[in-house]
Amino acid sequence: MQSLALLLTLAASAVAIWPIPTQYRHGNAVIWLASDVQMTFNAPSSNAVRFISNLQQMGGLVVDFLLTCAGAQPRSADAVNPRLRRRRDGPSGTAPVSAEVVQAAIRRTHDLIFNEKFVPWKFHPRNADFEPPLAEAKNHISSIVITQNSTDVAGTFKPLAGAVDESYTLEVTEDGRVKMTAVSSVGVLRALDTFTQLFFQHSGDKDKVYTNLAPLYIYDTPKFPHRGLNMDVARNWFPVDDLLHLIDAVSWNKFNRLHLHVTDSQSWPLEIPAIPELADKGAYRKGLSYSPADIERIQRHGTERGVEVFLEIDMPGHTASIAESFPDLITAYDMQPDWPTYANEPPSGQFKLDHPPVMEFLGKLFDDLLPRVSPHAAYFHTGGDEVNRNVYLLDDTVKSNDSAVIQPLLQKFLDGVHEKVRAKGLTPIVWEEMLLQWNLTLGDDVVVQTWQSNEAVADAVRKGHKTLAGNFNYWYLDCGKGQWVSPRDNGSVATPSVIAEPFADYCSPTKSWRQMYSYDPLFNIPAESTHLVLGGEVHMWNEQTDRVSLDHMVWPRAAAAAEVLWSGRKDTAGTNRSLLTAAPRLNEWRERLVARGVAAAPIQMIYCTQNDPSSCGQ
């Protein structure tokens, strides 16, 4: 019989699910999980499929998982490590089949639970004997029944915000029966992700895993339908495997969007077979570009994990890299040393605004690209931020920096772009400046992505537009690293450099996880308009981040934004969630991410995790 002290210790450390569920009740009984447990998936349009007993009926996709469950020799660590194994879960170039998605997710769930190797010693007093006795490992989970009670629709894996029900219930009884229920296969994925967080490895036997939460009941549903990470892959190069690794972590945090900012002024790493010069000349180096097969692989990897991967090609600004192959389309290209007059970053250069060949170029680009990305995405981001007026003094089709001259030309440009996007069955997203700075008329379908302030969210909503939040004062992951621009020798230029000590960047200081957790996307939004705030995105701009430092820069701070978007900044009583009680949960979630191969940064020292949270409060 376990001592009361041990039970209290287990109970105190057992509520570390991230993001926190909508409803959550649990006990403190210990139940063990064996790798040969029977699983049943009740698909909505067929009889129950019992994975163990009906082995012969299943295809090769599931057999690999089944053999592991049935007690076959375990695969190598490389085969199951989420960072190292990059296996396709379905045929290339096709939309995924719901049953295949769920079956593959079950295999991944098994791999995580039995290969995560997470022993939570950091969350108990030093040298504490916190683990249940192996000699009493008799109460086992006897069955796991997963039920999807509605048939997936055509847009399940590429939904507009709110079009798919991601809710689920998860129950674990004290006598070892597990039930997961969801409306959609995406809800099943969310339930499985939560299920993986219930288990710990026993330090005395690497093959023994247990939960100390029985009986347990969870009902969970997201607060916002659009929960995303914006990832810049144009400032620095990121290999495909790093993006697949990122998608894994994004999905574990219950994000459902990965926004790839795939081109910018510095490089064009996107291969367009109809216009091969773009990547041949615009990438930093030959080979540092994403082929159509790469994009398909990235998008499909996301789709199979409930993450919609959509692309952004920013325009008319942030397009200088096109001048490497099509200089006639770009004005004010690389105006050195006076680039700050014409751009926020070097090199300067924007699309000519009233130049018919630009729209012809975009037609050819979209005809190639959009049909390839649309099977896996409902959205396409057309940018629109930081359009520089001075550029158009040098544009022979404009010859003015007067907003009154530029605005109607910009309206004509954006109308043409969005007409082409809609023609390919995609919904446009734009940065806030198109609406709030340039006062352009946008279609009712257009989603406005804000980034500059809380007021921008309120203003976009006031104008009646669906809106994404992401205030840079809270949700910019790149801030606080200092300037990446070096001060020039003032003797070499007419204007003295403005880059000076302490060389802070424009958005310093670093946005800590607490700052990110404190952000409320619904701040000052009237109750009758909150439905227009679809959610938001946390942003990873990568002027000073590459594949070596990416994990450390994103995680676990982005997880704080993930909980805000999934669970809400406020609890069901309307009270802001406590930073003090969030800290131990995020500490534990960070340790799980590390165990899964994510190089997430620590948020506190071990002294804080081994003691009551208030011991590191002030």
Side-chain angles (χ1 to χ4, degrees):
M1 182 82 115
Q2 297 178 47
S3 69
L4 178 60
L6 175 59
L7 286 173
L8 290 174
T9 301
L10 290 171
S13 65
V15 292
I17 293 175
W18 195 278
I20 194 166
T22 307
Q23 298 177 23
Y24 182 22
R25 303 189 299 270
H26 70 90
N28 55 22
V30 173
I31 302 182
W32 302 80
L33 180 65
S35 64
D36 61 354
V37 65
Q38 287 191 342
M39 280 194 171
T40 303
F41 173 47
N42 295 321
S45 58
S46 64
N47 294 328
V49 177
R50 187 169 300 281
F51 289 173
I52 300 299
S53 61
N54 290 344
L55 177 62
Q56 294 83 358
Q57 298 177 15
M58 309 307 296
L61 175 68
V62 182
V63 168
D64 184 47
F65 169 72
L66 290 173
L67 291 175
T68 303
C69 278
Q73 290 299 312
R75 286 162 282 158
S76 68
D78 287 358
V80 297
N81 186 309
R83 177 144 202 178
L84 299 178
R85 189 188 64 195
R86 295 298 168 216
R87 174 178 169 176
R88 284 270 185 81
D89 292 336
S92 176
T94 61
V97 177
S98 299
E100 292 180 353
V101 168
V102 172
Q103 292 162 12
I106 289 169
R107 186 189 65 239
R108 293 193 303 271
T109 298
H110 177 275
D111 288 350
L112 283 174
I113 290 172
F114 287 97
N115 294 283
E116 190 175 72
K117 311 300 184 188
F118 176 47
V119 177
W121 63 269
K122 288 185 180 180
F123 304 97
H124 299 275
R126 64 184 73 195
N127 300 318
D129 183 15
F130 63 88
E131 293 177 295
L134 283 171
E136 297 180 10
K138 297 175 182 178
N139 190 15
H140 282 73
I141 289 174
S142 58
S143 66
I144 301 174
V145 178
I146 304 168
T147 301
Q148 181 183 332
N149 54 29
S150 184
T151 303
D152 286 335
V153 298
T156 293
F157 298 108
K158 44 167 284 182
L160 292 170
V164 170
D165 188 333
E166 298 180 70
S167 67
Y168 67 91
T169 60
L170 170 58
E171 298 177 73
V172 181
T173 65
E174 199 161 354
D175 62 355
R177 289 173 290 116
V178 175
K179 289 170 52 181
M180 300 180 219
T181 306
V183 173
S184 69
S185 58
V186 177
V188 173
L189 300 186
R190 307 299 179 228
L192 289 167
D193 282 332
T194 298
F195 187 65
T196 65
Q197 293 190 49
L198 304 182
F199 295 94
F200 305 98
Q201 184 193 48
H202 197 288
S203 62
D205 186 336
K206 64 182 179 62
D207 295 323
K208 296 287 188 181
V209 298
Y210 66 93
T211 181
N212 48 29
L213 294 169
L216 173 142
Y217 172 83
I218 288 173
Y219 168 74
D220 208 4
T221 190
K223 174 73 173 178
F224 294 101
H226 185 118
R227 308 178 305 279
L229 171 68
N230 172 26
M231 173 67 180
D232 167 19
V233 296
R235 270 51 176 258
N236 271 310
W237 165 251
F238 295 86
V240 171
D241 274 3
D242 291 294
L243 298 182
L244 303 184
H245 171 69
L246 179 64
I247 290 169
D248 289 341
V250 161
S251 69
W252 296 328
N253 282 274
K254 295 188 175 69
F255 283 117
N256 66 347
R257 300 285 190 277
L258 179 64
H259 164 185
L260 286 184
H261 182 88
V262 74
T263 64
D264 212 292
S265 286
Q266 292 76 23
S267 79
W268 185 285
L270 181 64
E271 294 179 21
I272 306 296
I275 318 175
E277 307 97 309
L278 279 172
D280 285 348
K281 297 181 179 181
Y284 282 128
R285 183 182 182 186
K286 287 188 183 300
L288 300 190
S289 57
Y290 304 108
S291 69
D294 292 334
I295 296 298
E296 156 72 15
R297 185 181 177 200
I298 291 165
Q299 285 191 294
R300 188 175 187 89
H301 193 85
T303 298
E304 290 161 349
R305 288 152 180 80
V307 177
E308 183 177 335
V309 180
F310 67 91
L311 273 57
E312 176 191 355
I313 295 183
D314 206 347
M315 62 185 81
H318 293 272
T319 49
S321 60
I322 295 172
E324 298 287 344
S325 50
F326 295 94
D328 183 56
L329 303 181
I330 303 298
T331 188
Y333 175 58
D334 199 20
M335 300 295 292
Q336 296 287 358
D338 195 26
W339 63 264
T341 301
Y342 301 100
N344 286 50
E345 295 181 359
S348 61
Q350 294 178 181
F351 271 136
K352 293 181 178 180
L353 204 50
D354 195 22
H355 189 44
V358 169
M359 203 55 66
E360 294 169 9
F361 166 85
L362 289 174
K364 191 173 184 180
L365 171 67
F366 288 166
D367 284 345
D368 182 304
L369 176 64
L370 300 191
R372 291 192 281 106
V373 300
S374 61
H376 295 288
Y379 295 102
F380 185 78
H381 202 309
T382 61
D385 62 316
E386 299 176 336
V387 176
N388 186 289
R389 292 177 174 83
N390 293 327
V391 160
Y392 294 115
L393 285 168
L394 306 181
D395 181 351
D396 56 9
T397 72
V398 181
K399 298 180 180 178
S400 175
N401 64 354
D402 185 345
S403 295
V405 174
I406 296 170
Q407 197 269 356
L409 296 175
L410 195 56
Q411 180 75 66
K412 177 183 174 184
F413 174 86
L414 192 67
D415 288 346
V417 168
H418 285 184
E419 180 182 356
K420 295 179 187 301
V421 170
R422 293 187 186 100
K424 303 301 182 183
L426 292 160
T427 296
I429 302 178
V430 297
W431 291 108
E432 65 176 66
E433 289 95 322
M434 293 289 92
L435 178 69
L436 303 181
Q437 178 182 340
W438 292 99
N439 197 30
L440 300 189
T441 300
L442 304 178
D444 291 340
D445 59 333
V446 176
V447 178
V448 177
Q449 182 160 26
T450 65
W451 63 277
Q452 296 192 82
S453 65
N454 290 338
E455 291 72 26
V457 181
D459 290 344
V461 165
R462 194 175 301 114
K463 289 175 178 284
H465 283 282
K466 296 183 287 290
T467 304
L468 299 176
N471 187 335
F472 79 94
N473 292 294
Y474 295 85
W475 278 7
Y476 267 30
L477 291 158
D478 60 307
C479 298
K481 298 189 75 171
Q483 280 284 356
W484 52 269
V485 178
S486 297
R488 286 196 179 100
D489 180 351
N490 287 334
S492 65
V493 291
T495 305
S497 176
V498 297
I499 308 301
E501 293 184 16
F503 305 107
D505 56 57
Y506 78 100
C507 58
S508 286
T510 299
K511 313 311 175 194
S512 70
W513 79 265
R514 293 176 180 83
Q515 178 79 347
M516 294 194 168
Y517 198 73
S518 299
Y519 179 48
D520 186 355
L522 297 179
F523 179 77
N524 275 352
I525 303 299
E528 66 272 14
S529 300
T530 56
H531 67 284
L532 290 173
V533 181
L534 302 181
E537 293 181 359
V538 62
H539 301 271
M540 187 65 251
W541 302 111
N542 287 320
E543 287 89 348
Q544 298 183 86
T545 300
D546 62 13
R547 65 176 307 196
V548 175
S549 55
L550 179 64
D551 274 2
H552 183 91
M553 287 295 295
V554 175
W555 309 111
R557 291 186 297 149
E563 178 155 298
V564 170
L565 289 168
W566 178 272
S567 310
R569 177 64 186 98
K570 301 178 186 297
D571 61 23
T572 54
T575 303
N576 283 338
R577 298 186 190 277
S578 164
L579 289 165
L580 189 66
T581 58
R585 290 190 300 109
L586 186 57
N587 271 312
E588 184 171 314
W589 181 227
R590 181 261 175 177
E591 293 299 317
R592 285 195 184 273
L593 290 174
V594 170
R596 296 177 184 189
V598 178
I603 65 167
Q604 287 182 312
M605 56 186 168
I606 298 174
Y607 169 82
C608 299
T609 67
Q610 288 191 324
N611 288 279
D612 186 276
S614 63
S615 64
C616 287
Q618 185 176 2

